[in-house]
Amino acid sequence: MTRNAANKALADRDLAVVWHPCTQMKDHEQLPMVPIARGEGVWLQDFDGNRYLDAVSSWWVNLFGHANPRINAAIRTQLDSLEHVILAGFTHEPVVQLSERLVRLAPAGLTRCFYADNGSSAVEVAVKMSFHFWLNRGQPAKRRFITLANSYHGETLGALAVGDVGLYKQVYQPLLMDVITVPSPDCYHREAGESWEQHSRRMFEAMEHTLAEHAHEVAAVIIEPLVQCAGNMRMYHPAYLALLREACDRHGVHLIADEIAVGFGRSGTMFACEQAGIRPDFMCLSKGLTGGYLPLSVVLTTDEVYSAFYDDYARLSAFLHSHSYTGNPLACAAALATLDIFASDDVITANRSLAATMREAVEAQLGDHPNVAEIRQTGMILAVEWVKDRRTRECFDWRERRGLRLYQHALSRGALLRPIGNVVYFMPPYVITPGQLGFLAEVAREGIDLACA
Ligand code: PMP
């Protein structure tokens, strides 16, 4: 079998049995499936020897490249001693060490780690824990959640309910709990002459009013700090987070920070909350937690929350939530190796110049493009919003699916760029080079030209 035939053979076998995530499978009547044989660094390689630069870090999970030798070695070593063990009643070195290190790294006061195995499940844990905290403290009326417009927290029913991306949520609405949705501080909508900070502060007024009116029935506010990633990579100023923390304290409401996408350096700091100097009551982490290797998530919370569940068994106040693969040792070993790389390579500092290079590369290609309404950036996340007309910001009809043209063009040029609506973004592994960033910017410019033609 030639290598080209191997590509096709696997794609055909796939389409006979696999139902892919977030995909209209009929699209694959036209759109070729991309079989991947191996990964190395920022590159994914198919069976035909074609390479694709993974500009989206395989759904925002990969931090230090595919087949990273240090993470590979850590998993291999762990494999020789313990692959998995039930975490109820049993423990192991990697989960204890990981918890100790996360507590040291996280905003001070987040002292307890509860594990799950994906981002949505971490959100479910935080939502259930917050509700249950108030119940255990004799305040059963506090059972609702406040969320931001355009937010995304995952696909399981609880996580979907506290999110607000209509494309994913609307059809399941009859199955979802009722939430209170507050306008987003999204700075794309700031007025002419208004700074990000001014806009974010002004948008906080709606949150303040909502908290004042509903605090008695609200358990928590849930937010994605600084970047609403699945919501078209919309961004806002840290001042909003500082105001929110203060208001949640004043109104007696928890703050859940979903750092699943923005954690581990994506926002420019280890955790986005650091930029506002705040400590949430719950911090959800996943994706980059294992460097993009294995499914793992964790909710960090406070001693105050922990102690509300700590009692004699017969009082039935324990948090009786579990997932089979909770705290998997191989995933914890990958996470520890990932944290080792952060520590030894001073990644956050190195990323500052990488982020500046990314901005320069994209500005050079797209800064004055007639269809580009905005180039925005928070740390290692950069997004380009394209429109019909730069002045009016009128959008193309979503039914035209112009992003698909960009996606296909990028593949033909050897890049994996996966636009969300009319936004193309870069969230690459941190091992990307300035030359590769230049290449991505060029491909994005060509793709936008094609998409807008
Ligand atoms: N929260 C945020 C902010 C996310 O970006 C995502 C995933 N894109 C999730 C939660 C859900 O994580 P998972 O896909 O692992 O369930």
Side-chain angles (χ1 to χ4, degrees), residues 360-373:
E360 285 157 23
V362 174
E363 289 285 354
Q365 291 288 341
L366 287 161
D368 51 11
H369 193 286
N371 295 104
V372 169

Side-chain angles (χ1 to χ4, degrees), residues 59-60 117-121 123 152-155 224 229-230 258-262 286-287:
W59 260 341
W60 320 339
D117 49 20
N118 64 78
S120 303
S121 296
V123 170
Y152 179 89
H153 298 289
E155 301 293 346
E224 293 160 275
C229 293
D258 175 352
E259 296 233 12
I260 289 162
V262 294
S286 187
K287 292 195 188 273

Side-chain angles (χ1 to χ4, degrees), residues 265 268-269 346-358 377 379-380:
T269 45
D346 200 6
V347 172
I348 300 293
T349 307
N351 278 358
R352 275 188 215 128
S353 72
L354 208 52
T357 304
M358 179 152 71
Q377 184 178 21
M380 287 298 290

Side-chain angles (χ1 to χ4, degrees), residues 16 67 159 274 290 348 370 406:
E274 291 169 29
T290 63
I348 300 293
L406 191 157

Side-chain angles (χ1 to χ4, degrees), residues 226-278:
L226 303 186
V227 189
Q228 296 187 309
C229 293
N232 291 6
M233 296 291 166
R234 294 292 176 78
M235 302 177 183
Y236 60 92
H237 194 274
Y240 190 90
L241 296 176
L243 291 170
L244 181 59
R245 175 70 275 180
E246 187 280 324
C248 283
D249 284 342
R250 185 159 34 82
H251 290 290
V253 164
H254 286 146
L255 176 57
I256 302 172
D258 175 352
E259 296 233 12
I260 289 162
V262 294
F264 298 101
R266 292 285 183 200
S267 73
T269 45
M270 192 64 171
F271 302 114
C273 284
E274 291 169 29
Q275 295 184 41
I278 63 156

Side-chain angles (χ1 to χ4, degrees), residues 83-354:
E83 82 301 334
H84 187 63
V85 62
I86 179 174
L87 199 65
F90 287 73
T91 194
H92 50 85
E93 175 69 26
V95 80
V96 174
Q97 221 187 95
L98 180 60
S99 307
E100 289 167 349
R101 290 179 67 174
L102 288 173
V103 165
R104 279 203 300 274
L105 276 173
L110 292 173
T111 49
R112 299 282 169 177
C113 300
F114 190 99
Y115 289 87
D117 49 20
N118 64 78
S120 303
S121 296
V123 170
E124 301 284 344
V125 165
V127 163
K128 285 176 68 178
M129 247 186 207
S130 175
F131 161 77
H132 199 162
F133 169 92
W134 296 113
L135 189 68
N136 283 352
R137 284 284 154 94
Q139 291 185 260
K142 288 171 80 69
R143 50 180 291 273
R144 300 186 74 191
F145 291 85
I146 297 178
T147 186
L148 292 178
N150 191 46
S151 59
Y152 179 89
H153 298 289
E155 301 293 346
T156 54
L157 293 179
L160 200 58
V162 297
D164 184 50
V165 177
L167 182 61
Y168 307 134
K169 179 172 180 176
Q170 212 160 348
V171 67
Y172 304 105
Q173 193 66 59
L175 306 183
L176 304 179
M177 70 174 159
D178 178 39
V179 297
I180 302 166
T181 306
V182 170
S184 167
D186 169 8
C187 289
Y188 184 68
H189 296 300
R190 69 193 182 280
E191 283 170 9
E194 204 179 25
S195 69
W196 279 34
E197 178 166 0
Q198 286 165 336
H199 176 78
S200 298
R201 286 183 179 277
R202 180 163 64 77
M203 293 309 290
F204 187 75
E205 288 165 22
M207 179 63 87
E208 177 63 47
H209 290 144
T210 306
L211 279 167
E213 192 184 337
H214 292 284
H216 64 283
E217 55 169 349
V218 168
V221 177
I222 180 165
I223 43 110
E224 293 160 275
L226 303 186
V227 189
Q228 296 187 309
C229 293
N232 291 6
M233 296 291 166
R234 294 292 176 78
M235 302 177 183
Y236 60 92
H237 194 274
Y240 190 90
L241 296 176
L243 291 170
L244 181 59
R245 175 70 275 180
E246 187 280 324
C248 283
D249 284 342
R250 185 159 34 82
H251 290 290
V253 164
H254 286 146
L255 176 57
I256 302 172
D258 175 352
E259 296 233 12
I260 289 162
V262 294
F264 298 101
R266 292 285 183 200
S267 73
T269 45
M270 192 64 171
F271 302 114
C273 284
E274 291 169 29
Q275 295 184 41
I278 63 156
R279 189 219 67 204
D281 300 287
F282 302 91
M283 185 163 82
C284 304
L285 302 173
S286 187
K287 292 195 188 273
L289 173 61
T290 63
Y293 266 68
L294 287 160
L296 183 69
S297 65
V298 60
V299 179
L300 281 94
T301 189
T302 60
D303 275 345
E304 189 194 358
V305 169
Y306 181 77
S307 62
F309 293 80
Y310 195 90
D311 209 335
D312 295 331
Y313 184 83
R315 295 181 66 92
L316 292 178
S317 55
F319 191 60
L320 301 181
H321 179 112
S322 61
H323 299 285
S324 317
Y325 284 102
T326 289
N328 173 262
L330 295 170
C332 290
L336 287 168
T338 300
L339 294 182
D340 284 344
I341 297 175
F342 271 107
S344 65
D345 295 7
D346 200 6
V347 172
I348 300 293
T349 307
N351 278 358
R352 275 188 215 128
S353 72
L354 208 52

